[in-house]
Amino acid sequence: QVQLVESGGGLVQAGGSLRLSCAASGRTFNNYAVGWFRQAPGKEREFVAGLSRTGGNTHYLDSVKDRFTISRDNAKNTVNLQMNSLKPEDSAVYYCAARSEGVRMPATRWYDYGYWGQGTQVIVSS
């Protein structure tokens, strides 16, 4: 099992950057498929970015593809989401997720993942 904790959210002006981190405890999750989702008030939880269990394949929501980057830091047992050129519509609570079993990429559905963090809020002002 693995426990996930997100950090790095906050208030940023449009065009700015934030780096979200998802720290894992309990065990290493370097061989877990991982993803980032976000949820704005009144909206469904939305897939943002995913990283395959092996091989480093990535997939992104089209609207963030050229601005966000998902990556692993195996030494720190973390997964990061670098967010650049932020827009007000990026405002949401961001969640990291993981699964230990294999999954066909791109895994964009919330139920593809069995482990979830509590979320970190991102607010982008205009």
Side-chain angles (χ1 to χ4, degrees), residues 63-116:
S63 63
V64 310
K65 186 175 182 179
D66 296 325
R67 300 183 293 119
F68 292 10
T69 303
I70 186 171
S71 63
R72 296 184 193 269
D73 186 336
N74 289 331
K76 296 181 179 179
N77 204 28
T78 62
V79 172
N80 301 311
L81 184 68
Q82 179 66 46
M83 306 187 296
N84 298 325
S85 301
L86 283 162
K87 304 174 181 179
E89 53 264 41
D90 295 319
S91 297
V93 176
Y94 283 71
Y95 300 88
C96 66
R99 62 174 285 145
S100 59
E101 299 86 4
V103 61
R104 185 181 300 275
M105 298 299 290
T108 62
R109 299 165 297 183
W110 68 268
Y111 49 83
D112 285 332
Y113 301 89
Y115 302 98
W116 291 86

